[in-house]
Amino acid sequence: MNKEWVQVTKRSMLNESRQIDRAVKLIGLGARLQVLEGETELSYERLLKLYKEVAGKSPPKGQLPFSTDWFLTWQPNIHASLFMNIFNYLQKTSLLDDGELLIKTYELYSEQMAHLELDPLLSVTRAWRLMKFMHSNQLAMNTCKVCSGRFITDLYENPKYFVCGMCKPPARAGKGQASGSLQLQ
Ligand SMILES: [Zn+2]
């Protein structure tokens, strides 16, 4: 056998096992099939088979309904902002690619939620959509002038006057709850 060919084969097998490993991790975190298609190079058929094996059921059908609006509503915004703070930190301090960053950040976010005994409002599929919205500049981040935390905002937010949803919860929101225990600095 040709030496070069063996090396190429070895390399592609290694890559394939990485791809499978990534897909399995994402399925384990509850990702929809569209996320797997976006973040691995495996074929649709392959992913479908993996999904059924790992999740023990067929993936839910249909489009992802999420627009940028969800990320700007009060409590989801706090969760999504926490996610993006962790994501940006890891991106600056590691060489992970987007798929790996998504997995690592989502794991850390989930750990944080478990620690605070809060429901993780942000699903991994929504986290993936958020990552895409940030990359395509459909959402921005601004610093709260009261607490200095970094929060997700729409593009037209005036950074000079921005106050976050934790410092200024909507009038009807119960005090304490999700807001009191999360720190986004
Ligand atoms: Zn604030």
Side-chain angles (χ1 to χ4, degrees):
M1 228 187 303
N2 178 323
K3 226 180 182 178
E4 224 168 88
W5 188 84
V6 172
Q7 275 191 343
V8 169
T9 311
K10 261 191 189 164
R11 212 180 304 139
S12 65
M13 278 170 67
L14 183 67
N15 184 45
E16 173 148 323
S17 85
R18 278 209 197 104
Q19 299 284 326
I20 293 172
D21 183 54
R22 174 178 299 191
V24 168
K25 275 189 186 149
L26 284 168
I27 298 165
L29 293 173
R32 294 274 297 264
L33 211 55
Q34 288 93 330
V35 182
L36 310 177
E37 285 185 274
E39 299 307 322
T40 72
E41 291 158 15
L42 301 172
S43 70
Y44 179 79
E45 291 71 27
R46 196 76 195 279
L47 289 171
L48 196 61
K49 197 163 168 276
L50 264 177
Y51 190 100
K52 285 181 185 163
E53 275 174 25
V54 177
K57 58 181 183 194
S58 294
K61 290 201 173 82
Q63 292 295 307
L64 302 182
F66 318 129
S67 71
T68 53
D69 296 350
W70 187 86
F71 300 100
L72 299 171
T73 52
W74 180 55
Q75 286 208 342
N77 182 261
I78 296 170
H79 285 249
S81 298
L82 173 65
F83 179 90
M84 258 351 269
N85 275 278
I86 303 171
F87 186 96
N88 289 337
Y89 174 78
L90 288 178
Q91 193 171 38
K92 267 186 221 143
T93 55
S94 72
L95 295 169
L96 302 175
D97 69 20
D98 272 359
E100 291 163 323
L101 280 170
L102 176 68
I103 292 168
K104 190 80 200 141
T105 306
Y106 197 77
E107 284 171 349
L108 289 169
Y109 162 74
S110 304
E111 276 171 28
Q112 186 78 11
M113 287 301 108
H115 178 68
L116 296 170
E117 296 178 1
L118 292 172
D119 287 334
L121 291 185
L122 186 73
S123 70
V124 72
T125 302
R126 277 197 158 119
W128 177 70
R129 296 292 287 143
L130 174 62
M131 181 177 91
K132 298 288 175 193
F133 284 139
M134 294 303 291
H135 285 348
S136 58
N137 294 319
Q138 286 174 272
L139 286 167
M141 281 193 102
N142 274 293
T143 304
C144 170
K145 71 180 174 73
V146 178
C147 70
S148 307
R150 299 274 295 161
F151 288 82
I152 291 160
T153 65
D154 66 31
L155 299 181
Y156 312 105
E157 184 68 50
N158 187 336
K160 251 183 166 170
Y161 304 108
F162 173 64
V163 177
C164 78
M166 279 165 48
C167 293
K168 200 181 164 201
R172 283 188 302 156
K175 283 225 166 82
Q177 289 187 12
S179 53
S181 38
L182 278 173
Q183 288 290 320
L184 294 190
Q185 293 197 32

